[in-house]
Amino acid sequence: MDEQLLRRIGGLIAHHSGIHIREQDYPSLAEKVGRRAQRLGLSSVGQYYDRLQQELELAPARAAGSPSEWQELYSVLTVNESYFFRDTNQFRLLSERLLPELLTRKLAQAQAQAKNTAGAAAAKPRLRIWSAGCSTGEEIYSLAIALEEMNFPWDQWDALLMGTDISRAAIDSARHGVYGSWSFRQVPTDIQQKYFRSHHQLYQLCDRIRQRVTFQCGNLLTDPCPNPSIGLYDLDLILCRNVFIYLDSRSIGQIIQKFHAALGPQGYLLTGHTELHSQDTSRFQVLSFPESVVYGKQPGPKAQPLLPSATQHRPRPAQRAQPTPLGKGPGRASASASGDLNAALEQAAALLKQEAYASAIQRAEALYRTHPHCDDARKIAAHAYANTGRYDQAKQLCQQVLRRQALDLDMHYLLAQIAEDQNDWAAAKQQLRKIIYLDAGFVWAYLDLASIYARERQPEKSQKMRSQALSLLAKLPPETVLDGHGNATVAQWQDHLAKQAATARGDRPAP
């Protein structure tokens, strides 16, 4: 393929969307562009370039919703993989602090306005939330569920929850609200059962939540913003997480200035943890919380006080991989005390399973302080700390266990999951590779590596990890339910991975 022509296509993509085609991405781009040209019946990639260029020239005259090759291209260029309640730290901050503060402040403003307009019909308080680069909708739906769990009085508010994405295929999928088990890896079973129903071996989000969210196909770089015509103005909260990793620095700078203009007074912007480190954020007030950095559009030099988190409730993240079965492995107490210790460990493990994390931590810590070599108690506490986003404490306990039990897969995997939550992909990959070295049959390590490589835009490595996972799954009975990431069967996982592979190749798999 003509390398110069391929780079011209890469330049068009960057100009139209801000998506940065890195040097190592060009072989994959060549393959995907070649497939798209073939599907269109074009005789050369040069004709495909002309097709893209022609669509850009005709864009102002193109009817909304009409077929677009740019949309087809974006559907194979972008990785539309997300999951509910992703990044437990940020969702805790949202559910326990930012959302309650926003709701309290917006309600007070509406009440004050009503007093100032005595005799006129009182306007409802307004809430405006935008998930920018929403992929298949898990993020904005997670916020809707969080509000529902807070008993948010929808009918008493003028609320807009909107998700936008450059991929029309992703938006169409979001509107349907149908998801596989992989999307529920951080969702407690009771939340999944409450808001989703089984749908042809998948899960359909209930109508009362789907109807609370609006989706729109949009281009963050080229679309107007603020955009009153679709409600994207005077926003209270913008989420744009794991989007900027695909964009060049110039485009990121332009987009965050648009976000600043679209935010209302005291509105908040949340991004991935490190995505704006090299950007000029001087127009924002940078608010530092233990869970995350938040960019605020504040009128004064200090952030407004937030409500105490102890008074709020939120959907808890799913329990991570279970500790080693009780009674196994080194680091246990002597046989003379094993009866009482075993019963106490079972109580602590039960509290962890019930998601009573504070009680599980208290019980487990009392055990390993009394029995310094009881690593099962440390494992329980590590999982409970991780599930509450207290990652430093969890990592410290993991390392304590690994100093005595260097081959403990559970602790290595928990460290990998924590690193993923913190967007530290290098550390996550290091732990996952170590797990595979220790146990080549640990299927979740391959699946997590496939996901990380996809986000890093390394499709060949991602496909290799998926193939390894499929090989392992083929050795199991199809109806076997795999622990660790929901209740999906081996057959469901095989179907999910096959669809992922088809998407990576540029095919359009059946829904």
Side-chain angles (χ1 to χ4, degrees), residues 251-267:
S251 299
I252 296 171
Q254 293 179 17
I255 291 168
I256 63 174
Q257 297 311 318
K258 288 184 172 184
F259 286 165
H260 186 274
L263 283 170
Q266 298 178 271

Side-chain angles (χ1 to χ4, degrees), residues 21-42:
I21 306 298
R22 303 170 303 178
E23 198 64 33
Q24 62 266 37
D25 297 333
Y26 275 100
S28 175
L29 178 65
E31 185 179 356
K32 292 175 179 178
V33 163
R35 284 204 179 97
R36 287 306 309 159
Q38 187 177 23
R39 286 179 177 274
L40 292 170
L42 303 176

Side-chain angles (χ1 to χ4, degrees), residues 114-129:
K115 289 181 180 179
N116 293 333
T117 56
K124 292 181 177 180
R126 292 201 319 167
L127 179 67
R128 295 285 183 268
I129 299 176

Side-chain angles (χ1 to χ4, degrees), residues 132-155:
C134 68
S135 186
T136 46
E138 288 94 330
E139 179 177 74
I140 191 66
Y141 281 141
S142 295
L143 275 174
I145 291 172
L147 285 168
E148 186 79 4
E149 287 292 294
M150 294 166 62
N151 297 315
F152 179 68
W154 297 95
D155 58 335

